[in-house]
């Protein structure tokens, strides 16, 4: 029980720090801005209270926003991600049984399933994020390519992190 | 009424979602009108101190580059002293003494967003106020839009709302410099009269018209000129001379005469 809390708190702090101290300062190009902090929301237990899920997403987004001076931007996108999560889990993994505190991690969903789950939710998050950031449909194609490239890079980084977490546990 | 409560309870996930999104959008819109952006000035002091300790580590790795830049600046200052000593130009050209410079250190900065901001470690305590200009040793960086007691928040030129009044150095024509959100090294020069020919390497400097920046501060050099097909105003791509990705030290410029000029202007506009 307390193990679950500690694990998630550590994960929250670690991902926020990776995001604001490393990734936000990396300039691969204007088109690639990976946001791996969403992994925190992706890995919350499947049976978590839905309102708690939304509230945690709100807090996560707000923290990123405070560090990036982008108030509301990441908050809105991350809350949307959290709202979509139960539906996506039901859609893809109807046949999987999850116990009370079980996380939808890479060993439970299998690498292929986890990739699909991450890709779809990161895409939803990044679409909201990049359109809210430019706040117009001008330069539609450049925003689309920004979304596509960043989604791929974020997903790739999340898969790497998830594999690292998984191998350490074994 | 009871039915409503039952309905809301049944759909609490959706209702709570809408509530949280409403809060997020309120935050988002209030931060778009940039004068309100300092509603979270306190948060700036908290996150600011975290960034300060972080940048004290990363600064170490930039020391060599900073040293070179300071040496370059020393050299150009020496040149200035030399030219100031020659009496010939002091009589004709009045040196602009209304501007006062303060040095500050960049605490956090971004270049990869659509709207980039810079946080610097001087604030109200050092009499920094909104609408002061910010430059680096290489060129124009941005404009202060808000302050807390120890920090100031700067709208970078790399911002959708940024519009710097500029001048083509070789012929003094007025133009404007914007950023189109693509590459942090490149901006857009607009409102170029169509009869003007520009070539790669031509310098674009501040006009001094806004009273925020003194005249003649470097903004960048022309990279590509795009002559308009019809008789409209032409555009050009400019390479910013400031390296936004390596900013560590900046100067904040205060114009002593700006408040006076502003009151004068507002008196006649109303």
């Amino acid at each position: 029980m307390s193990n679950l809390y500690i694990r998630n708190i550590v994960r929250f702090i670690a991902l926020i720090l990776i995001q604001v101290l490393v990734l936000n300062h990396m300039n691969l190009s204007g088109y690639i801005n990976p946001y791996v902090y969403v992994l925190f929301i992706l890995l919350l237990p499947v049976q978590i209270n839905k309102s708690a899920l939304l509230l945690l997403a709100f807090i996560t987004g707000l923290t990123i926003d405070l560090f990036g001076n982008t108030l509301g931007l990441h908050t809105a996108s991350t809350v949307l991600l959290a709202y979509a999560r139960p539906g996506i889990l039901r859609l893809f993994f109807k046949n999987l049984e999850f116990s009370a505190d079980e996380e939808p991690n890479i060993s439970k969903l299998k690498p292929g399933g986890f990739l699909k789950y991450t890709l779809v939710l990161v895409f939803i998050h990044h679409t909201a994020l990049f359109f809210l950031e430019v706040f117009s449909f001008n330069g539609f194609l450049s925003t689309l390519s920004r979304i596509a490239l960043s989604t791929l890079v974020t997903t790739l980084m999340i898969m790497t992190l998830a594999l690292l977490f998984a191998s350490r546990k074994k | 009424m009871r039915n409503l409560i039952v309905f809301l309870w049944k759909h609490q996930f959706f209702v709570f979602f809408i509530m949280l999104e409403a809060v997020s959008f309120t935050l988002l819109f209030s931060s778009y009108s940039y004068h309100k952006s300092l509603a979270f000035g306190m948060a700036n002091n908290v996150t600011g101190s975290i960034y300060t300790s972080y940048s004290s580590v990363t600064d170490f790795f930039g020391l060599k580059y900073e040293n070179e830049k300071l040496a370059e600046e020393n050299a150009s200052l020496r040149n200035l002293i030399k030219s100031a000593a020659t009496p010939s130009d002091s009589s004709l050209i009045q040196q602009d003494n209304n501007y006062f410079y303060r040095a500050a250190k960049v605490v956090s900065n971004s270049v990869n967003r659509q709207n980039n901001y810079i946080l610097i470690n001087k604030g109200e305590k050092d009499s920094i106020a909104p609408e002061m200009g910010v430059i680096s040793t290489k060129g124009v960086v941005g404009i202060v839009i808000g302050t807390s007691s120890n920090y100031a928040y700067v709208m970078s030129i790399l911002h959708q709302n940024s519009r710097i009044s500029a001048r083509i150095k070789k012929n003094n024509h007025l133009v404007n410099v914007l950023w189109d959100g693509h590459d942090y090294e490149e901006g857009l020069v607009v409102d170029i009269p169509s009869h003007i020919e520009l070539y790669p390497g031509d310098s674009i400097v501040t006009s001094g018209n806004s009273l925020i920046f003194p005249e003649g501060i470097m903004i960048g050099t022309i990279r590509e000129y795009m002559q308009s097909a019809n008789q409209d105003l032409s555009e050009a791509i400019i390479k910013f001379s400031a390296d936004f990705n390596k900013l560590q030290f900046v100067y904040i410029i205060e114009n002593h005469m700006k408040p006076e000029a502003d009151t004068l202007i507002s008196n006649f506009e109303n």
Side-chain angles (χ1 to χ4, degrees):
Chain A
M1 181 69 183
S2 66
N3 192 7
L4 174 79
Y5 282 90
I6 292 170
R7 191 162 68 233
N8 275 289
I9 290 170
V10 168
R11 194 182 289 144
F12 176 82
I13 295 173
L15 285 170
I16 296 279
L17 289 181
I18 291 176
Q19 186 64 50
V20 301
L21 295 184
V22 183
L23 294 180
N24 282 1
H25 296 269
M26 254 167 60
N27 296 298
L28 301 164
S29 95
Y31 285 90
I32 305 176
N33 306 309
Y35 293 107
V36 300
Y37 71 88
V38 296
L39 180 59
F40 172 69
I41 306 297
L42 295 182
L43 286 182
L44 286 170
V46 177
Q47 311 286 12
I48 189 175
N49 177 295
K50 285 176 170 184
S51 301
L53 177 68
L54 288 178
L55 196 64
L56 284 172
F58 184 83
I59 294 168
T60 311
L62 194 64
T63 313
I64 296 289
D65 278 335
L66 286 176
F67 276 101
N69 290 319
T70 51
L71 215 54
L73 186 64
H74 288 274
T75 318
S77 325
T78 313
V79 169
L80 179 68
L81 164 85
Y83 181 69
R85 197 187 94 139
I88 299 292
L89 276 171
R90 223 177 306 125
L91 184 71
F92 288 160
F93 309 107
K94 215 188 273 174
N95 304 325
L96 281 184
E97 290 281 330
F98 293 95
S99 60
D101 290 340
E102 203 167 6
E103 295 167 352
N105 55 27
I106 198 157
S107 45
K108 177 75 184 182
L109 304 185
K110 302 280 174 288
F114 190 75
L115 176 67
K116 197 163 60 173
Y117 168 67
T118 306
L119 198 62
V120 170
L121 285 177
V122 166
F123 179 71
I124 292 172
H125 174 267
H126 283 24
T127 307
L129 183 77
F130 288 101
F131 273 114
L132 283 177
E133 188 183 31
V134 286
F135 216 74
S136 78
F137 287 104
N138 296 339
F140 189 75
L141 282 179
S142 108
T143 307
L144 273 190
S145 43
R146 201 170 274 142
I147 291 168
L149 287 171
S150 298
T151 301
L152 288 180
V153 176
T154 303
T155 307
L156 197 74
M157 287 183 171
I158 285 183
M159 289 306 282
T160 316
L161 282 178
L163 282 171
L164 280 177
F165 284 144
S167 65
R168 204 191 50 191
K169 232 171 272 169
K170 271 175 204 165
Chain B
M1 188 61 198
R2 232 203 76 180
N3 284 343
L4 180 71
I5 293 171
V6 169
F7 175 83
L8 290 180
W9 188 251
K10 228 176 112 187
H11 297 274
Q12 55 165 312
F13 183 43
F14 180 69
V15 173
F16 194 44
F17 166 66
I18 295 296
M19 269 167 53
L20 289 180
E21 288 292 10
V23 175
S24 315
F25 275 86
T26 316
L27 290 174
L28 190 62
F29 290 129
S30 62
S31 63
Y32 269 121
S33 61
Y34 64 78
H35 287 295
K36 280 192 209 150
S37 61
L38 262 283
F40 55 108
M42 217 192 69
N44 261 350
N45 275 341
V46 177
T47 54
S49 65
I50 294 179
Y51 276 130
T52 308
S53 49
Y54 170 73
S55 73
S56 62
V57 176
T58 54
D59 282 353
F60 183 75
F61 299 102
L63 278 180
K64 185 167 177 287
Y65 172 76
E66 276 311 312
N67 268 337
E68 283 165 11
K69 241 174 48 175
L70 285 175
E72 264 173 47
E73 197 187 2
N74 269 340
S76 68
L77 284 176
R78 272 170 209 276
N79 287 336
L80 253 173
I81 294 171
K82 229 190 285 171
S83 63
T86 50
S88 60
D89 54 40
S90 60
S91 52
L92 271 176
I93 305 160
Q94 189 94 61
Q95 194 57 42
D96 216 336
N97 286 329
N98 295 336
Y99 291 93
F100 186 75
Y101 294 72
R102 289 184 185 87
K105 206 169 112 30
V106 172
V107 175
S108 95
N109 177 25
S110 72
V111 297
N112 52 3
R113 309 225 178 86
Q114 292 297 297
N115 294 314
N116 293 289
Y117 298 94
I118 301 161
L119 192 65
I120 55 179
N121 72 345
K122 291 270 164 77
E124 282 151 21
K125 279 186 189 160
D126 311 280
S127 36
I128 306 296
E131 301 210 357
M132 289 185 183
V134 179
I135 62 169
S136 76
T137 51
K138 298 246 171 105
V140 172
V141 167
I143 294 167
V144 175
I145 57 168
T147 49
S148 64
S149 55
N150 293 309
Y151 296 97
Y153 194 40
V154 179
M155 181 171 103
S156 165
I157 312 187
L158 310 179
H159 192 289
Q160 305 277 306
N161 298 338
S162 158
R163 190 179 184 92
I164 306 281
S165 167
R167 175 157 81 64
I168 302 167
K169 199 177 179 186
K170 65 177 182 186
N171 56 22
N172 290 342
H173 272 285
L174 284 176
V175 292
N176 284 300
V177 176
L178 320 173
W179 189 55
D180 53 9
H182 292 299
D183 186 341
Y184 75 89
E185 293 191 315
E186 290 179 349
L188 215 54
V189 184
V190 296
D191 305 331
I192 308 170
S194 54
H195 64 274
I196 304 274
E197 280 283 339
L198 277 179
Y199 300 99
D202 282 350
S203 297
I204 304 294
V205 296
T206 52
S207 66
N209 287 7
S210 62
L211 299 171
I212 290 176
F213 297 105
E215 213 180 324
I217 302 244
M218 193 69 176
I219 299 176
T221 50
I222 297 295
R223 193 169 253 182
E224 192 188 337
Y225 177 55
M226 295 168 289
Q227 177 105 46
S228 134
N230 38 30
Q231 288 300 301
D232 290 342
L233 299 168
S234 306
E235 295 185 348
I237 294 174
I238 180 177
K239 184 188 181 307
F240 292 127
S241 53
D243 188 343
F244 287 92
N245 205 14
K246 282 187 179 167
L247 280 188
Q248 281 195 8
F249 290 93
V250 291
Y251 297 100
I252 303 143
I253 308 175
E254 180 183 359
N255 181 353
H256 296 304
M257 297 300 160
K258 189 168 188 298
E260 187 184 324
D262 282 345
T263 15
L264 183 66
I265 291 168
S266 64
N267 279 348
F268 280 92
E269 274 179 354
N270 293 333

